Every structure is written in C-alpha cells, then in structure tokens.
Amino acid sequence: MAVGNILDNDSLIGRIIVTPVKQHELILEWKLAQQDVKNGGVLGVLTPGKRAMAVRVNEVVGLPGFVKPGDRVDIMVTMKNNWGKGKTTKTVLENTLVLATGKQMERIGPGEKPKSVKVITFELTLKDAEKLALATSLGKLRLALRSPLNTEPEYTVGATPNSLLASFRAKRASRKGGK
C-alpha cells in the first residue's frame, strides 16, 4: 500500500479535495486541504460555495490587534455622494467572517523597497465579493467588530455630513428647550 493513503471513510468526512480524483482511485492525504489555516491555508476552512477575498487595510481600518480569524465584522465604505457634494458612509456587508489576517509585502514603484501592508481575508458569497470589490475601488473601508451574540441584520440609510449635523442640531435644540 502507498504511503499517505487514507484508510477509513470517516477520516474523509468534512475534508476538501484540492486535486481531481478519479473513480476508484485511492485518496492520498496530499490531495486534500489541511483542516486549519496554519497548515492548509484558507482552503482548509472555506465553506463550500463561498469565496475567500483578501483586502488590503491600514492599521486603523483593521482594528489593530482586535480582529482575528473567526471574528465577524461589518464592512463600511466612505465615498463621494452620487451628486458629487460631500461623502456618504454606508455599511455594505454585515456579519462577515474573517478567515485570516496577516501582512504581505508590496512593492510600490520600480526600484523601491517592498513595504509591509496588512491584509484581511473574508469569507463571502460571490455576490458579496462583487460588492466588496466595488467598495474598495470607490472609497475607504472601515471595519466594525461584531459581538458573536449580535447576528441580526440592521438596516440603515447611511451617514452623510448633513445627517451628522442634523443629529447635533436636534440634540442642541432639545437642550435649549429644557432650560
């Protein structure tokens, strides 16, 4: 028998095949994704039917030291309004699973030394991956760390400079009325 064969069917449950396997072929360990991120990369934890998408973030966006694999975050984008005046911040994805966090080396220009940039990898549906790709090209991303007990979606209209100022004016007016 060849070294590395999987002998019992129970050890195949939940494993992901990463290379084609023919009918009646012995399944070797190297044809399967590892079962954790450290050993097998993202394939080891990616849910079937989902995509892994990495996004470059800075330390502020990535909530330095707080966002870890397994956490869930809401992803917001701040971008120019459609009408060209001011900006809008809108939550584009909620309760998004973080698969991995880390750094990669990136060369900015020819002859320049590579610079370390923070990258966060999310698990997304294809539709959500499209939304995130568009959001990264339109504006700046922010992450909001979610409590594991908070799974309900929350619908908002987004925030604009006018809505921020309006809420301030409303609070100020109520204070004056109470004097």
Side-chain angles (χ1 to χ4, degrees):
M1 225 179 274
V3 176
N5 287 355
I6 300 219
L7 300 175
D8 61 281
N9 291 338
D10 290 341
S11 61
L12 296 174
I13 295 172
R15 299 290 300 273
I16 298 169
I17 297 174
V18 293
T19 62
V21 176
K22 295 178 182 170
Q23 187 174 4
H24 303 297
E25 179 181 350
L26 293 175
I27 298 177
L28 303 174
E29 182 69 33
W30 65 267
K31 290 191 174 204
L32 301 172
Q34 295 292 320
Q35 293 179 298
D36 60 46
V37 173
K38 284 187 178 182
N39 295 321
V42 171
L43 280 179
V45 295
L46 189 61
T47 302
K50 297 283 182 111
R51 312 299 195 271
M53 184 171 178
V55 176
R56 186 175 80 172
V57 297
N58 64 31
E59 290 297 323
V60 173
V61 171
L63 294 165
F66 292 106
V67 176
K68 302 177 302 311
D71 287 343
R72 292 198 169 262
V73 296
D74 293 337
I75 304 172
M76 294 170 258
V77 64
T78 299
M79 60 188 184
K80 289 183 182 177
N81 288 329
N82 283 343
W83 49 93
K85 293 184 178 181
K87 293 184 176 188
T88 298
T89 297
K90 182 70 179 115
T91 302
V92 291
L93 297 172
E94 287 187 274
N95 205 21
T96 305
L97 178 63
V98 174
L99 291 177
T101 62
K103 294 188 183 238
Q104 73 177 26
M105 299 306 285
E106 180 178 86
R107 191 178 304 272
I108 304 301
E112 292 186 30
K113 290 185 178 181
K115 176 177 132 179
S116 177
V117 294
K118 186 166 175 82
V119 175
I120 297 182
T121 304
F122 300 104
E123 181 178 78
L124 304 166
T125 64
L126 183 57
K127 188 182 279 190
D128 286 345
E130 290 173 341
K131 287 180 186 178
L132 184 56
L134 181 60
T136 59
S137 71
L138 290 177
K140 292 186 178 191
L141 296 182
R142 290 283 183 165
L143 304 180
L145 187 59
R146 249 182 122 102
S147 164
L149 303 176
N150 178 9
T151 59
E152 294 298 316
E154 189 173 335
Y155 302 100
T156 67
V157 295
T160 64
N162 285 341
S163 68
L164 288 177
L165 295 174
S167 65
F168 174 73
R169 284 192 295 266
K171 286 180 184 177
R172 193 171 180 195
S174 70
R175 279 192 225 137
K176 282 184 178 179
K179 284 186 176 182

